[in-house]
């Protein structure tokens, strides 16, 4: 008998990983698929980071680490936050976790009681609403369409806050839209949040370094809300280290302590060797980060120009991350004579099965009129993907 809890039964599976798996299955059958589904840098982890991991193994970093992470890594995070973000934290205000994903989930679990509302500017990453639901909270979706570059404004935020609002989760640069909140935009959101003392801010900055406007801004820089912000970041995207699974939270000590307790029962301190590698990443030369960033920017220019040539695609000009989120409902209701495309998910499946290009339907991100393409892949593959997308979509009438 299957005895799955209601909690897990209600949980949606990750749409990003589901499409990545489908794409992988097709490739395993020998089909040449261009995979633009899952979002992870296609670069290798820089050599100086790999060397630090070899060294850690040789030096027998093989025992349990402290639950919040090695002090030397938390020091490296404190220095990074000072150096790159002009933010002051102590090591006691930093918690290392198994990816930024666990840092986010820790924060939600530690903050949200059943029935509490959590504001999610949408489109948002697929895991946010599911994390909130896991905690028994209620996701409150605040929509920002392509006409406002997928960014919410102060009036929308203000209107969504109720006495039940416990937190807001903001991601900039954004997955899935690539939109980046500038200083003035964040400042106007911070002004609203300053008036609502019971609302906590979870600021997901995992794409910090994949930024095409010259600088990253964090909500934690605004003094009036600073003690209610948890900065979430990690090494996955900036250092091409998705598989190493290191993320962190920097925030008020009471929250870090609560997450430490949770993590102590749930996962313990994360992988010792990966922590030493992450320490090297933060402390070492940062040239590789800039090298990868500028490659992403060139690819952004390429993909935006290719997408603008596709009839029925409407796109913004993403200022960060490595995603394009075209509005494509023009195709809904059209058919190639065999199957009818009714939804973004149908369109993503059609592109995969007929065009052999893997994307992700927008519904799981809160935008059923869009699909997401990750351009963390080579220029040749991006060009080939768009050749296929164009040919495949031309068959729909
Ligand atoms: N936040 C966002 C918006 C992401 O896209 C990702 C990538 N999966 C994460 C957090 C989690 O990153 P990590 O690999 O460090 O868990
Ligand atoms: N952030 C990536 C994505 O959105 C990785 C997959 C995931 O964790 O959802 O595709």
């Amino acid at each position: 008998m299957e005895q799955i809890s209601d909690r897990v039964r209600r949980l949606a599976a990750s749409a990003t990983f589901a499409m990545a798996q489908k794409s992988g299955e097709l490739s395993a059958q020998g089909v040449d698929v261009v995979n633009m589904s899952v979002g992870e840098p296609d670069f290798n982890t820089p050599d100086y980071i790999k060397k630090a991991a070899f060294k850690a193994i040789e030096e027998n970093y093989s025992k349990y680490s402290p639950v919040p992470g090695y002090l030397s890594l938390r020091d490296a995070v404190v220095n990074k936050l000072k150096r790159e973000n002009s933010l002051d934290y102590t090591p006691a205000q930093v918690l290392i976790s198994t990816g930024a994903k666990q840092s986010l989930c820790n924060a939600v679990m530690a903050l949200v009681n059943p029935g509490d509302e959590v504001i999610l500017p949408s489109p948002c990453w697929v895991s946010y609403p599911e994390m909130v639901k896991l905690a028994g909270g209620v996701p409150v979706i605040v929509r920002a369409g392509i006409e406002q570059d997928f960014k919410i404004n102060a009036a929308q935020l203000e209107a969504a806050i109720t006495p039940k609002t416990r937190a807001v989760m903001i991601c900039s640069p954004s997955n899935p839209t690539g939109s980046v909140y500038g200083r003035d935009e964040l400042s106007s959101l911070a002004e609203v949040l300053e008036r609502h003392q019971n609302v906590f801010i979870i600021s997901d900055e995992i794409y910090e370094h994949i930024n095409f406007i010259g600088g990253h801004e964090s909500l934690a820089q605004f003094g009036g809300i600073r003690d209610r912000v948890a900065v979430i970041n990690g090494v996955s995207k900036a250092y091409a280290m998705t598989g190493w699974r290191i993320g962190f939270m920097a925030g008020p000590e009471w929250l870090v302590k609560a997450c430490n307790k949770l993590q102590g029962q749930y996962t313990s301190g994360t992988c010792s060797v990966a922590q030493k590698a992450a320490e090297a990443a933060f402390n070492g030369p940062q040239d590789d980060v800039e090298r990868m960033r500028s490659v992403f920017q060139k690819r952004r220019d390429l993909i935006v120009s290719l997408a603008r040539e596709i009839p029925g695609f409407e796109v913004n000009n993403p200022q960060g991350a490595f995603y394009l989120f075209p509005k494509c409902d023009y195709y809904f209701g059209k058919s190639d004579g065999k199957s009818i495309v009714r939804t973004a998910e149908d369109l993503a499946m059609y592109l995969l099965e007929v065009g052999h290009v893997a994307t992700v339907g927008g519904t799981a991100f809160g935008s059923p009129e869009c699909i997401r393409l990750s351009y963390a892949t080579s220029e040749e593959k991006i060009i080939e993907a768009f050749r296929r997308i164009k040919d495949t979509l031309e068959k729909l009438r």
Side-chain angles (χ1 to χ4, degrees), residues 86-127:
S86 305
L87 295 173
D88 289 306
Y89 288 95
T90 65
Q93 293 176 305
V94 173
L95 183 83
I96 310 298
S97 300
T98 307
K101 198 176 240 177
Q102 189 186 13
S103 306
L104 287 162
C105 204
N106 277 348
V108 171
M109 286 295 177
L111 288 166
V112 175
N113 275 317
D116 284 351
E117 294 175 358
V118 179
I119 295 175
L120 304 178
S122 172
C124 68
W125 184 40
V126 295
S127 295

Side-chain angles (χ1 to χ4, degrees), residues 12-13 15 122-126 129-130 141 143 176 325-326 328 332 342-348 360-372:
S122 172
C124 68
W125 184 40
V126 295
E130 300 310 313
I141 303 295
R143 281 259 328 154
F325 202 53
C328 51
F332 297 177
R342 291 199 171 84
T343 63
E345 287 58 49
D346 287 352
L347 189 64
V360 186
T363 307
F365 300 95
S367 290
E369 73 285 9
C370 296
I371 57 169
R372 191 192 77 173

Side-chain angles (χ1 to χ4, degrees), residues 9 11 56 58 67-68 74 123 127 157 161 175 185 192 228 237 253 273 320 325 352:
R9 215 189 294 271
L11 195 68
E58 272 159 17
V67 173
R74 284 181 287 134
S127 295
L157 178 61
I161 296 175
N175 176 3
E185 290 161 328
V192 172
R228 286 184 277 129
K237 315 290 170 170
E253 213 170 317
V273 173
F325 202 53
L352 179 62

Side-chain angles (χ1 to χ4, degrees), residues 132-161:
V132 172
K133 285 193 254 162
L134 257 188
V138 181
V140 175
I141 303 295
V142 179
R143 281 259 328 154
I146 194 164
E147 68 290 348
Q148 55 189 94
D149 193 23
F150 300 114
K151 289 186 273 191
I152 64 159
N153 57 40
Q156 287 180 291
L157 178 61
E158 181 81 62
I161 296 175

